[in-house]
Amino acid sequence: MSRVQPSPLNRSGFLGVGSFLMVVLSAALLASTTMWAERDFQKVLQVFFVDVEGGQATLFVTPAHQSLLIDTGWPGNDGRDADRIVAAAKKAGISEIDYVLITHFHNDHVGGLPQLVARIPVETVIDHGDNRESTDAPTVQVWQAYQQLLTENKFKRLTVKPGDKLPVKGVEATVISSDGLVIDHALAGAGQENAVCKGGESYAADQTENRRSLGTLITFGKLRILDLGDLTRDKEMELVCPNNKLGAMDIYIVSHHGWYQSGSPAFLNAIAPRVAIMDNGAKKGGTPSAWDIIEKSPRLQDLWQLHFSEEGGPGHNVAPEFIANPEGPDAANYLQLTAWPDGSFEIFNSRTSKTKQYSAQH
Ligand SMILES: [Zn+2]
């Protein structure tokens, strides 16, 4: 899995080689580079995968200059995660966040919200409804902090259910799952039988907030991006068995940081992503069994990781150029997706400063 292409600037290095073949190859590469460089960067969808050490914080900025942040990372650490999100917002050229979507009320997802709203204005927060997990102390604590922010009118609140469209301009965002319910019909173009369901996978019902995750499909022209928060395998089965309600994805934001409780074989076979991006931490997520299922999914070109996974070790991590934060002290490197409506996209690794391009496949 080491197929990162050189950046366009590096490609001109081929010109110094004298052989006829290399000249022809160089010309072809330069031609494709020019075409790529001529793309309209005013009409792109930008997505920043912020490193919050095994929580989630994914910032979408649409060509209509609207912003949607999915989750806010952890509480504490002097606002470390909120600072990293604000840094990404700055890079994206925005000074307020229109929508923050909280997938569920676990502290690695909603924990950073009080620190975030202290640093940058947030217009509306979207959620699945009230917290349902009253037995877990950290969850109760972040839920109370959330209610406090609501009392202080820090933002508007919008609660959504499966099938709803989010009011974000510049993309189409459809709610797939919310509060333990999932869409009851196949999306347009989907609905085919899923052969892997015949293996008889079945999973006990999760009892936590994870299964209540607010999941969305974000469509930008021909590009399809799936984010289901920490939705667990029992709920995945309702989405993809016996028929695949979702259809194939271009980009899969790996559920649950790549932990084994999510990402079943039937689910990965159904969504068959071209690219998967895993928001794992060094010591959280990236379970070898879940990593294997993603790597074996039918159309996968590349898996990217926000961190080297210690649990994965040498056998279950991608090649270094696909990892934002390798072993060692954390430097908060991020991954950035830039996408065009024709379905083409590129991914930038802030650590290596290299970009890999993916052409449209429709
Ligand atoms: Zn999580």
Side-chain angles (χ1 to χ4, degrees):
M1 299 293 291
S2 56
R3 295 190 292 272
V4 163
Q5 296 170 355
S7 70
L9 283 177
N10 293 341
R11 287 179 180 181
S12 60
F14 282 110
L15 284 175
V17 181
S19 81
F20 175 74
L21 184 60
M22 285 309 291
V23 169
V24 171
L25 273 175
S26 299
L29 278 168
L30 282 171
S32 76
T33 300
T34 307
M35 281 164 59
W36 195 274
E38 281 170 358
R39 316 186 124 239
D40 188 348
F41 276 84
Q42 301 300 313
K43 292 183 181 153
V44 293
L45 170 68
Q46 299 274 6
V47 188
F48 292 83
F49 297 83
V50 181
D51 173 31
V52 291
E53 312 293 329
Q56 183 170 1
T58 316
L59 177 65
F60 292 73
V61 181
T62 77
H65 298 293
Q66 284 230 308
S67 48
L68 167 69
L69 173 70
I70 301 186
D71 290 329
T72 61
W74 299 88
N77 303 308
D78 290 328
R80 176 199 68 194
D81 293 354
D83 284 341
R84 292 178 181 184
I85 293 164
V86 171
K90 220 174 213 176
K91 281 194 190 78
I94 55 169
S95 53
E96 60 173 59
I97 300 177
D98 298 302
Y99 300 96
V100 172
L101 184 156
I102 298 299
T103 58
H104 61 298
F105 292 103
H106 279 165
N107 61 349
D108 56 325
H109 295 260
V110 69
L113 186 61
Q115 295 162 329
L116 186 71
V117 298
R119 285 161 173 75
I120 189 168
V122 169
E123 183 69 24
T124 303
V125 176
I126 306 170
D127 65 30
H128 70 54
D130 293 356
N131 169 46
R132 310 287 190 191
E133 191 180 342
S134 57
T135 51
D136 181 57
T139 302
V140 170
Q141 205 172 351
V142 291
W143 167 240
Q144 284 170 349
Y146 185 68
Q147 288 174 292
Q148 181 64 32
L149 295 173
L150 286 170
T151 308
E152 294 167 6
N153 291 314
K154 293 285 187 194
F155 41 73
K156 285 178 241 159
R157 182 186 188 188
L158 174 63
T159 296
V160 292
K161 57 183 191 312
D164 287 352
K165 305 274 187 210
L166 304 186
V168 187
K169 295 191 182 81
V171 291
E172 184 173 283
T174 306
V175 177
I176 299 297
S177 61
S178 181
D179 197 21
L181 299 174
V182 302
I183 48 169
D184 59 6
H185 60 278
L187 298 172
Q192 293 80 4
E193 194 181 353
N194 181 354
V196 175
C197 299
K198 291 180 181 143
E201 288 178 58
S202 77
Y203 304 99
D206 178 78
Q207 300 298 320
T208 74
E209 268 284 302
N210 290 330
R211 78 196 296 265
R212 300 186 180 276
S213 287
L214 169 47
T216 45
L217 168 68
I218 293 172
T219 305
F220 177 58
K222 291 179 174 169
L223 192 85
R224 306 178 91 221
I225 305 174
L226 186 66
D227 184 303
L228 299 182
D230 289 357
L231 196 76
T232 43
R233 294 179 296 195
D234 51 324
K235 302 313 290 185
E236 288 174 356
M237 299 309 276
E238 293 177 28
L239 285 169
V240 301
C241 286
N243 295 329
N244 175 5
K245 290 178 183 165
L246 297 174
M249 298 296 158
D250 296 290
I251 295 155
Y252 166 48
I253 301 175
V254 174
S255 296
H256 215 163
H257 326 287
W259 238 338
Y260 72 93
Q261 296 98 328
S262 304
S264 62
F267 175 67
L268 262 300
N269 186 61
I271 65 168
R274 288 182 68 191
V275 165
I277 302 178
M278 186 160 79
D279 47 17
N280 65 305
K283 297 178 190 298
K284 181 154 177 264
T287 311
S289 59
W291 190 94
D292 279 337
I293 294 166
I294 298 167
E295 282 281 359
K296 285 178 192 152
S297 66
R299 295 197 312 152
L300 191 81
Q301 285 177 254
D302 292 313
L303 168 62
W304 294 75
Q305 298 178 200
L306 271 184
H307 264 272
F308 179 85
S309 156
E310 291 181 11
E311 191 185 348
H316 291 86
N317 276 280
V318 291
E321 57 264 47
F322 293 92
I323 300 179
N325 296 284
E327 281 183 285
D330 183 60
N333 296 306
Y334 60 92
L335 298 171
Q336 182 182 351
L337 167 78
T338 303
W340 286 266
D342 69 354
S344 61
F345 59 95
E346 59 184 35
I347 296 177
F348 169 77
N349 181 341
S350 79
R351 178 176 64 83
T352 62
S353 291
K354 286 201 173 152
T355 302
K356 181 167 180 182
Q357 298 162 347
Y358 299 84
S359 45
Q361 270 196 354
H362 295 273

